[in-house]
Amino acid sequence: MVPDRKLLSNIEFPLRPEIAAMPTKSIATFATSTTPKIAPKSAPIAILITGGTFDKTYNELNGELFFKKSHLQEMLTLGRSLLPVRAETLMMKDSLLMTDSDRALIAKACKTAKEKHIVITHGTDTMEETARYLAHALCTQEKKSAAKKVVAAATGKATDKASPRASDNGLNKTIILTGAMVPYKFGSSDGLFNLGSALAYAQLLPPGVYVAMNGRWFEWDNVRKNKKIGYFEELKKADKIT
């Protein structure tokens, strides 16, 4: 039953006693002073677009999925994001077709980016492979032990294989790979949720290379896509990357 608007308009909503006792001008001042202030400006985030299911579009004529243009800006607008971002399209490619030459291009983009926080949209089938490539390409061996301590201190959990800092020639960046199992344009995609998670993790996690999927973050050497159930998970101890 829909309430009668006339009845609703006659209902009085009493003010809190301490506010009701204030002069009208004081109430206006009180309202202004208690309005939530916008949080301090966040550090800029670079979003590197590489394709994957995240950005695929459905061809209604032949039923195929194809790339046309990235949906990133539309997703940021839909999510009402206020983060300062710089988007750069490196490629629009199915991750099953991605080569080490493509990964080298991604690594170069990460290395030369001025931003300290980077999100990479990527196909899910080889996402962990690219994460491992980036970790080894952007981190020198001697810095891995230091990174282990940073991750343990920041997350409160010990780890045998800490995500190394994306550090080389002074670089120190947090790099998050994310994607979607269902194309964004399908309407029921997990892409928007994963993108939001990745942007949050990029601001919170210590420098290193990570994968953000299914509401979780994974270190580059402790993640895989379980193709039987369609979720990302940590590796078993026997399967951990050495």
Side-chain angles (χ1 to χ4, degrees), residues 3-232:
D4 190 313
R5 290 191 176 184
K6 291 183 179 180
L7 292 177
L8 288 176
S9 64
N10 292 327
I11 298 176
E12 295 185 2
F13 296 92
L15 294 172
R16 284 161 37 192
E18 66 272 22
I19 298 178
M22 294 181 181
T24 304
K25 290 184 178 180
S26 297
I27 293 177
T29 303
F30 176 83
T32 303
S33 64
T34 55
T35 300
K37 296 182 179 179
I38 297 176
K41 190 173 182 180
S42 303
I45 298 177
I47 304 180
L48 305 180
I49 300 165
T50 70
T53 300
F54 189 93
D55 267 327
K56 284 186 175 179
T57 298
Y58 180 69
N59 187 326
E60 296 180 356
L61 297 179
N62 59 20
E64 294 180 353
L65 296 175
F66 69 101
F67 294 111
K68 186 175 182 181
K69 64 177 182 179
S70 176
H71 309 305
L72 177 67
Q73 188 55 57
E74 181 181 342
M75 296 171 76
L76 291 173
T77 301
L78 182 62
R80 301 171 63 85
S81 174
L82 296 178
L83 290 173
V85 301
R86 175 183 65 85
E88 178 181 355
T89 301
L90 301 181
M91 64 194 77
M92 295 290 274
K93 202 166 188 178
D94 188 307
S95 70
L96 288 173
L97 303 176
M98 193 169 285
T99 65
D100 280 348
S101 295
D102 296 321
R103 294 185 175 94
L105 178 63
I106 299 172
K108 181 179 180 181
C110 290
K111 187 174 181 179
T112 57
K114 295 181 180 180
E115 296 85 356
K116 299 297 184 184
H117 311 277
I118 299 173
V119 170
I120 302 171
T121 61
H122 194 288
T124 61
D125 285 315
T126 63
M127 187 182 293
E128 66 240 49
E129 294 178 31
T130 299
R132 291 164 194 159
Y133 183 99
L134 295 177
H136 288 290
L138 299 174
C139 180
T140 54
Q141 187 65 33
E142 58 269 20
K143 292 180 180 179
K144 290 184 180 179
S145 60
K148 178 179 178 180
K149 295 179 182 179
V150 172
V151 174
T155 62
K157 67 176 184 179
T159 175
D160 294 330
K161 290 287 181 182
S163 178
R165 295 186 182 189
S167 305
D168 193 8
N169 297 327
L171 291 181
N172 192 10
K173 302 179 180 181
T174 300
I175 301 172
I176 313 288
L177 289 89
T178 193
M181 299 294 290
V182 180
Y184 164 72
K185 280 299 184 180
F186 277 21
S188 58
S189 174
D190 53 333
L192 186 62
F193 176 77
N194 291 334
L195 176 62
S197 297
L199 290 171
Y201 288 138
Q203 299 173 80
L204 299 174
L205 289 173
V209 180
Y210 307 87
V211 166
M213 290 292 293
N214 309 122
R216 300 182 61 192
W217 62 267
F218 305 88
E219 296 170 34
W220 68 271
D221 61 346
N222 191 20
V223 60
R224 69 178 170 195
K225 177 182 177 180
N226 187 325
K227 296 182 180 180
K228 292 183 178 180
I229 60 175
Y231 289 93
F232 278 72

